[in-house]
Short mmCIF file of all heavy atoms in Angstrom, two decimals:
data_model
loop_
_atom_site.label_atom_id
_atom_site.label_comp_id
_atom_site.label_asym_id
_atom_site.label_seq_id
_atom_site.Cartn_x
_atom_site.Cartn_y
_atom_site.Cartn_z
N PHE A 219 -8.08 7.70 -22.36
CA PHE A 219 -8.87 7.00 -23.36
C PHE A 219 -8.31 5.70 -23.77
O PHE A 219 -8.11 5.38 -24.92
CB PHE A 219 -9.15 7.86 -24.63
CG PHE A 219 -9.56 9.32 -24.26
CD1 PHE A 219 -8.96 10.31 -24.80
CD2 PHE A 219 -10.60 9.51 -23.38
CE1 PHE A 219 -9.37 11.62 -24.45
CE2 PHE A 219 -10.99 10.81 -23.09
CZ PHE A 219 -10.44 11.90 -23.59
N TYR A 234 -0.99 9.41 -24.45
CA TYR A 234 -0.42 10.54 -25.20
C TYR A 234 0.93 10.98 -24.74
O TYR A 234 1.38 10.58 -23.60
CB TYR A 234 -1.35 11.84 -24.94
CG TYR A 234 -2.72 11.76 -25.64
CD1 TYR A 234 -3.78 11.39 -24.85
CD2 TYR A 234 -2.86 11.90 -26.95
CE1 TYR A 234 -5.04 11.41 -25.48
CE2 TYR A 234 -4.11 11.84 -27.62
CZ TYR A 234 -5.19 11.56 -26.79
OH TYR A 234 -6.53 11.44 -27.38
N LYS A 246 -4.55 20.51 -26.43
CA LYS A 246 -5.08 19.68 -27.23
C LYS A 246 -4.30 18.36 -27.20
O LYS A 246 -3.14 18.28 -27.13
CB LYS A 246 -5.02 20.28 -28.71
CG LYS A 246 -5.66 19.45 -29.72
CD LYS A 246 -5.38 19.96 -31.17
CE LYS A 246 -6.24 21.18 -31.40
NZ LYS A 246 -6.23 21.61 -32.77
N ASN A 247 -5.16 17.28 -27.19
CA ASN A 247 -4.45 15.87 -27.15
C ASN A 247 -4.09 15.36 -28.56
O ASN A 247 -5.09 15.32 -29.32
CB ASN A 247 -5.57 14.99 -26.45
CG ASN A 247 -5.90 15.29 -25.03
OD1 ASN A 247 -7.11 15.15 -24.55
ND2 ASN A 247 -4.92 15.84 -24.25
N LEU A 275 -4.39 13.83 -34.87
CA LEU A 275 -5.78 13.81 -34.28
C LEU A 275 -6.52 12.53 -34.55
O LEU A 275 -7.67 12.55 -35.00
CB LEU A 275 -6.45 15.07 -34.94
CG LEU A 275 -5.86 16.42 -34.62
CD1 LEU A 275 -6.76 17.48 -35.16
CD2 LEU A 275 -5.57 16.59 -33.13
N ARG A 276 -5.79 11.42 -34.27
CA ARG A 276 -6.50 10.19 -34.33
C ARG A 276 -6.13 9.44 -33.07
O ARG A 276 -5.20 9.60 -32.46
CB ARG A 276 -5.96 9.29 -35.53
CG ARG A 276 -6.47 9.72 -36.86
CD ARG A 276 -5.90 8.78 -37.97
NE ARG A 276 -6.35 9.26 -39.28
CZ ARG A 276 -6.15 8.75 -40.43
NH1 ARG A 276 -5.27 7.72 -40.50
NH2 ARG A 276 -6.74 9.23 -41.57
N ASN A 277 -7.17 8.68 -32.58
CA ASN A 277 -7.10 7.99 -31.38
C ASN A 277 -6.85 6.44 -31.66
O ASN A 277 -7.53 5.95 -32.60
CB ASN A 277 -8.22 8.17 -30.44
CG ASN A 277 -8.13 9.41 -29.63
OD1 ASN A 277 -7.11 10.14 -29.75
ND2 ASN A 277 -9.07 9.63 -28.74
N THR A 294 -9.81 5.89 -34.48
CA THR A 294 -10.94 6.81 -34.71
C THR A 294 -10.48 8.22 -34.91
O THR A 294 -9.33 8.59 -34.53
CB THR A 294 -11.86 6.83 -33.44
OG1 THR A 294 -11.00 7.15 -32.27
CG2 THR A 294 -12.44 5.42 -33.12
N GLU A 295 -11.24 9.02 -35.65
CA GLU A 295 -10.89 10.31 -35.93
C GLU A 295 -11.91 11.24 -35.13
O GLU A 295 -11.83 12.60 -35.10
CB GLU A 295 -11.02 10.63 -37.44
CG GLU A 295 -9.85 10.04 -38.25
CD GLU A 295 -9.90 10.58 -39.67
OE1 GLU A 295 -11.05 10.72 -40.19
OE2 GLU A 295 -8.78 10.69 -40.22
N SER A 296 -13.00 10.63 -34.62
CA SER A 296 -14.03 11.33 -34.07
C SER A 296 -14.75 10.47 -32.98
O SER A 296 -14.26 9.45 -32.67
CB SER A 296 -14.99 11.91 -35.05
OG SER A 296 -15.56 10.93 -35.85
N THR A 297 -16.07 10.76 -32.70
CA THR A 297 -16.76 9.96 -31.80
C THR A 297 -17.55 8.86 -32.49
O THR A 297 -18.26 8.03 -31.87
CB THR A 297 -17.70 10.85 -30.90
OG1 THR A 297 -18.58 11.61 -31.96
CG2 THR A 297 -16.96 11.75 -30.10
N SER A 298 -17.61 8.88 -33.83
CA SER A 298 -18.25 7.78 -34.66
C SER A 298 -17.42 7.35 -35.73
O SER A 298 -16.71 8.20 -36.35
CB SER A 298 -19.69 8.10 -34.95
OG SER A 298 -19.67 9.27 -35.77
N PHE A 507 -24.21 12.63 -30.55
CA PHE A 507 -23.15 11.68 -30.57
C PHE A 507 -23.60 10.26 -30.43
O PHE A 507 -22.99 9.22 -29.90
CB PHE A 507 -22.14 11.91 -29.35
CG PHE A 507 -21.48 13.20 -29.43
CD1 PHE A 507 -21.87 14.24 -28.68
CD2 PHE A 507 -20.41 13.33 -30.36
CE1 PHE A 507 -21.33 15.52 -28.77
CE2 PHE A 507 -19.79 14.60 -30.45
CZ PHE A 507 -20.19 15.66 -29.72
N TYR A 616 -14.51 25.27 -29.45
CA TYR A 616 -14.47 24.08 -28.68
C TYR A 616 -13.40 23.08 -29.10
O TYR A 616 -12.80 22.36 -28.33
CB TYR A 616 -15.83 23.52 -28.71
CG TYR A 616 -16.11 22.76 -30.06
CD1 TYR A 616 -15.60 21.46 -30.19
CD2 TYR A 616 -16.68 23.31 -31.16
CE1 TYR A 616 -15.77 20.62 -31.43
CE2 TYR A 616 -16.78 22.55 -32.39
CZ TYR A 616 -16.38 21.32 -32.44
OH TYR A 616 -16.57 20.61 -33.68
N HIS A 617 -13.06 23.08 -30.39
CA HIS A 617 -12.12 22.17 -30.92
C HIS A 617 -10.69 22.46 -30.61
O HIS A 617 -9.81 21.68 -31.01
CB HIS A 617 -12.34 22.02 -32.45
CG HIS A 617 -12.05 23.43 -33.12
ND1 HIS A 617 -13.01 24.42 -33.03
CD2 HIS A 617 -11.14 23.83 -33.94
CE1 HIS A 617 -12.52 25.45 -33.76
NE2 HIS A 617 -11.35 25.12 -34.29
N LYS A 618 -10.44 23.56 -29.88
CA LYS A 618 -9.03 23.92 -29.63
C LYS A 618 -8.52 23.38 -28.30
O LYS A 618 -7.40 23.59 -27.91
CB LYS A 618 -8.97 25.39 -29.69
CG LYS A 618 -9.21 26.14 -31.05
CD LYS A 618 -9.10 27.65 -31.02
CE LYS A 618 -9.37 28.16 -32.36
NZ LYS A 618 -8.30 27.94 -33.32
N PHE A 619 -9.40 22.68 -27.64
CA PHE A 619 -9.02 22.23 -26.28
C PHE A 619 -9.18 20.75 -26.15
O PHE A 619 -10.07 20.08 -26.63
CB PHE A 619 -9.97 22.87 -25.18
CG PHE A 619 -9.93 24.45 -25.21
CD1 PHE A 619 -11.01 25.01 -25.87
CD2 PHE A 619 -8.83 25.14 -24.74
CE1 PHE A 619 -11.08 26.49 -25.90
CE2 PHE A 619 -8.95 26.48 -24.86
CZ PHE A 619 -9.95 27.18 -25.43
N THR A 620 -8.18 20.15 -25.41
CA THR A 620 -8.09 18.71 -25.09
C THR A 620 -8.60 17.86 -26.28
O THR A 620 -8.06 17.82 -27.37
CB THR A 620 -8.83 18.40 -23.81
OG1 THR A 620 -10.21 18.72 -23.90
CG2 THR A 620 -8.16 19.19 -22.64
N ILE A 621 -9.75 17.09 -26.02
CA ILE A 621 -10.25 16.10 -26.98
C ILE A 621 -11.33 16.81 -27.83
O ILE A 621 -11.99 16.08 -28.61
CB ILE A 621 -10.65 14.85 -26.23
CG1 ILE A 621 -10.85 13.68 -27.24
CG2 ILE A 621 -11.97 15.14 -25.51
CD1 ILE A 621 -9.49 13.29 -27.92
N GLY A 622 -11.53 18.00 -27.76
CA GLY A 622 -12.69 18.63 -28.46
C GLY A 622 -12.68 18.46 -29.99
O GLY A 622 -13.71 18.33 -30.56
N TRP A 623 -11.47 18.30 -30.61
CA TRP A 623 -11.33 18.10 -31.91
C TRP A 623 -12.16 16.88 -32.42
O TRP A 623 -12.58 16.85 -33.59
CB TRP A 623 -9.96 18.05 -32.43
CG TRP A 623 -9.15 17.13 -31.67
CD1 TRP A 623 -8.23 17.28 -30.58
CD2 TRP A 623 -9.03 15.54 -31.97
NE1 TRP A 623 -7.74 15.99 -30.25
CE2 TRP A 623 -8.19 15.05 -31.00
CE3 TRP A 623 -9.66 14.78 -32.93
CZ2 TRP A 623 -7.86 13.66 -30.89
CZ3 TRP A 623 -9.30 13.41 -32.92
CH2 TRP A 623 -8.40 12.92 -31.88
N ALA A 624 -12.28 15.90 -31.67
CA ALA A 624 -12.92 14.64 -31.95
C ALA A 624 -14.53 14.74 -32.11
O ALA A 624 -15.11 13.89 -32.57
CB ALA A 624 -12.59 13.62 -30.93
N TRP A 625 -15.00 15.88 -31.80
CA TRP A 625 -16.44 16.07 -31.82
C TRP A 625 -17.00 16.80 -33.08
O TRP A 625 -18.13 16.94 -33.28
CB TRP A 625 -16.91 17.01 -30.60
CG TRP A 625 -16.39 16.60 -29.23
CD1 TRP A 625 -15.95 15.31 -28.90
CD2 TRP A 625 -16.06 17.49 -28.15
NE1 TRP A 625 -15.53 15.39 -27.57
CE2 TRP A 625 -15.62 16.67 -27.18
CE3 TRP A 625 -16.31 18.82 -27.91
CZ2 TRP A 625 -15.28 17.19 -25.95
CZ3 TRP A 625 -15.98 19.30 -26.64
CH2 TRP A 625 -15.46 18.55 -25.68
N ALA A 626 -16.00 16.96 -34.07
CA ALA A 626 -16.31 17.63 -35.24
C ALA A 626 -17.27 16.86 -36.05
O ALA A 626 -18.06 17.52 -36.93
CB ALA A 626 -15.01 17.83 -36.00
N THR A 627 -17.39 15.52 -36.00
CA THR A 627 -18.34 14.79 -36.86
C THR A 627 -19.84 15.12 -36.43
O THR A 627 -20.67 15.06 -37.22
CB THR A 627 -18.07 13.40 -36.72
OG1 THR A 627 -18.01 12.90 -35.39
CG2 THR A 627 -16.89 12.88 -37.44
N ASP A 628 -19.97 15.46 -35.17
CA ASP A 628 -21.31 15.88 -34.79
C ASP A 628 -21.57 17.41 -34.94
O ASP A 628 -22.65 17.82 -35.34
CB ASP A 628 -21.49 15.58 -33.26
CG ASP A 628 -22.51 14.44 -33.09
OD1 ASP A 628 -22.34 13.39 -33.79
OD2 ASP A 628 -23.51 14.44 -32.39
N TYR A 629 -20.52 18.25 -34.76
CA TYR A 629 -20.69 19.73 -34.75
C TYR A 629 -20.21 20.42 -36.01
O TYR A 629 -20.67 21.34 -36.36
CB TYR A 629 -19.90 20.29 -33.52
CG TYR A 629 -20.39 19.99 -32.23
CD1 TYR A 629 -19.54 19.80 -31.10
CD2 TYR A 629 -21.76 19.54 -31.97
CE1 TYR A 629 -19.86 19.48 -29.86
CE2 TYR A 629 -22.16 19.30 -30.62
CZ TYR A 629 -21.18 19.25 -29.54
OH TYR A 629 -21.69 18.93 -28.29
N GLY A 630 -19.09 19.75 -36.65
CA GLY A 630 -18.41 20.66 -37.58
C GLY A 630 -17.63 21.61 -36.82
O GLY A 630 -17.63 21.67 -35.63
N THR A 631 -16.79 22.47 -37.52
CA THR A 631 -15.92 23.44 -36.80
C THR A 631 -16.00 24.70 -37.50
O THR A 631 -16.31 24.85 -38.72
CB THR A 631 -14.49 23.00 -36.60
OG1 THR A 631 -13.82 23.16 -37.93
CG2 THR A 631 -14.35 21.55 -36.24
N ARG A 668 -12.39 17.23 -20.13
CA ARG A 668 -13.21 16.71 -21.36
C ARG A 668 -13.81 18.01 -21.98
O ARG A 668 -13.50 18.33 -23.18
CB ARG A 668 -14.23 15.75 -20.87
CG ARG A 668 -15.03 15.04 -21.99
CD ARG A 668 -14.25 13.84 -22.58
NE ARG A 668 -14.06 12.92 -21.45
CZ ARG A 668 -14.92 12.02 -20.96
NH1 ARG A 668 -16.07 11.92 -21.51
NH2 ARG A 668 -14.49 11.12 -20.08
#
Side-chain angles (χ1 to χ4, degrees):
F219 312 129
Y234 291 105
K246 183 183 288 189
N247 300 141
L275 300 184
R276 288 182 178 177
N277 277 3
T294 58
E295 291 185 325
S296 63
T297 55
S298 60
F507 298 101
Y616 78 86
H617 58 289
K618 296 181 179 292
F619 305 101
T620 62
I621 198 63
W623 52 264
W625 312 332
T627 49
D628 253 49
Y629 295 150
T631 76
R668 186 85 56 84

